[in-house]
Amino acid sequence: MEYVDCYQQPQRTKYDCLLFDLDDTLYPLSSGLSEECTKNIGDYMHEKLGIEESKIPEMCNFLYKTYGTTMAGLRAIGYDFDYDEYHSFVHGRLPYENLKPDPVLRNLLLSLPFRKVIFTNADKIHAAKALSRLGLEGCFEGIICFETLNPTHNNTISDEDEPNTKPFDIVGHFSQTNSESELPKTPIVCKPSEAAIEHALNIADINPQRTIFFDDSTRNIESGKRVGLTTVLVGRSQRTKGADYALESIHNIKEALPELWNAEKKSEQVVSKVAIETSVIA
């Protein structure tokens, strides 16, 4: 992605970048996409990985809580699958028609005189579809997504790994009160890992001390706070640990953070890097 330097003002404001999660942040949980995504993950685990249906709910719970995403957890415990196939199965059948154009949010975003970047654990195709359905194309400088943090050459387990190794029993691990076995690590980089957030910030050349991070996940918010971001928990009326602000809806951003609109016009602001066109940040 090409950038041009348009820094013109010597006086700096407190922030110069806004970092947004996508799912259940730029659109509400009530859209139903999250629920369908969970169902699709379970179907993939059963149909593609041969996992017994009765074991899936508890297994997903442990994988999600331990590794940030079920996908990252599945790879950690030894399941071999293609990332693109997984995303196509899990996101490809989502009811995107539930997402409607949001002109109010579009106007809010375009009126904010800062760099604006999407940071999602989802793949680039899903991100593009969701933003298109919401009518938010052109509102963001770029997208930090799954592919940004996980290059495609890491799609499958390396040839050096044993192909028929029995997957790690994560349910059994947590059912033992005094388990001494060490949890396997995942090759997938994703939120809420602090290392993943720091890597994303480095890739996009974002200074955490001058950035506001919007996310619906309390875990992501806590991690974001630890790496130095100002944090906004979306979808809640009350702040939780690590959250500097809480918004019931992303539409409440102007009421909660009116100072963001106190800056001068965008062309004279501190936006030191402006993208020529919106694209995935690679």
Side-chain angles (χ1 to χ4, degrees):
M1 179 165 53
E2 183 182 358
Y3 288 99
V4 292
D5 186 0
C6 65
Y7 182 84
Q8 295 179 3
Q9 278 279 33
Q11 184 177 2
R12 306 183 77 192
T13 57
K14 186 176 181 180
Y15 303 108
D16 56 29
C17 184
L18 306 178
L19 190 63
F20 292 88
D21 176 49
L22 172 60
D23 297 306
D24 302 329
T25 296
L26 294 184
Y27 63 84
L29 180 65
S30 60
S31 68
L33 264 68
S34 180
E35 182 179 356
E36 286 299 312
C37 189
T38 299
K39 178 182 180 302
N40 292 344
I41 290 172
D43 289 344
Y44 184 88
M45 291 170 67
H46 176 62
E47 296 176 26
K48 302 295 184 179
L49 302 181
I51 300 172
E52 292 181 29
E53 286 186 275
S54 61
K55 296 181 178 179
I56 289 174
E58 186 177 22
M59 189 174 174
C60 280
N61 181 51
F62 285 128
L63 293 176
Y64 178 77
K65 287 183 176 179
T66 305
Y67 295 100
T69 68
T70 305
M71 180 187 188
L74 287 169
R75 283 301 310 270
I77 65 175
Y79 286 96
D80 186 2
F81 53 88
D82 181 82
Y83 294 170
D84 293 337
E85 179 193 60
Y86 178 93
H87 285 132
S88 178
F89 189 103
V90 171
H91 292 144
R93 54 184 69 187
L94 290 177
Y96 288 103
E97 65 275 8
N98 291 1
L99 300 181
K100 307 300 181 184
D102 192 339
V104 173
L105 179 56
R106 180 178 180 82
N107 289 334
L108 282 171
L109 291 171
L110 291 177
S111 68
L112 285 163
F114 308 96
R115 293 179 68 194
K116 293 177 286 291
V117 177
I118 294 286
F119 180 22
T120 175
N121 281 337
D123 62 293
K124 61 184 178 182
I125 294 176
H126 168 72
K129 283 184 178 179
L131 289 174
S132 177
R133 294 293 304 185
L134 292 167
L136 300 181
E137 309 100 313
C139 292
F140 301 94
E141 173 184 298
I143 301 169
I144 302 169
C145 60
F146 179 86
E147 289 86 350
T148 310
L149 300 182
N150 300 274
T152 55
H153 69 268
N154 288 332
N155 246 20
T156 54
I157 296 175
S158 70
D159 295 335
E160 296 179 0
D161 291 302
E162 297 181 21
N164 297 314
T165 301
K166 184 178 180 181
F168 179 84
D169 182 10
I170 193 166
V171 175
H173 173 86
F174 284 107
S175 66
Q176 300 175 33
T177 55
N178 295 309
S179 176
E180 296 181 357
S181 60
E182 185 177 347
L183 285 168
K185 299 185 183 302
T186 181
I188 290 178
V189 181
C190 62
K191 296 181 288 184
S193 161
E194 290 176 42
I197 297 174
E198 289 175 335
H199 186 37
L201 297 176
N202 288 334
I203 289 173
D205 192 20
I206 293 172
N207 179 355
Q209 304 298 330
R210 296 180 53 77
T211 300
I212 304 181
F213 177 44
F214 299 81
D215 202 298
D216 67 292
S217 165
T218 55
R219 294 190 304 168
N220 294 347
I221 287 294
E222 287 182 32
S223 295
K225 188 64 180 176
R226 285 194 291 268
V227 303
L229 295 160
T230 297
T231 54
V232 181
L233 180 63
V234 180
R236 308 281 187 92
S237 57
Q238 299 294 323
R239 290 190 299 122
T240 60
K241 181 181 179 181
D244 295 303
Y245 301 89
L247 306 178
E248 274 194 71
S249 165
I250 194 67
H251 293 97
N252 302 131
I253 185 172
K254 197 165 189 177
E255 290 81 359
L257 295 160
E259 62 269 26
L260 296 181
W261 279 265
N262 292 337
E264 297 179 13
K265 292 182 179 179
K266 194 169 186 179
S267 61
E268 300 175 347
Q269 246 307 323
V270 297
V271 185
S272 58
K273 293 185 176 179
V274 175
I276 296 302
E277 58 180 303
T278 302
S279 63
V280 171
I281 296 174

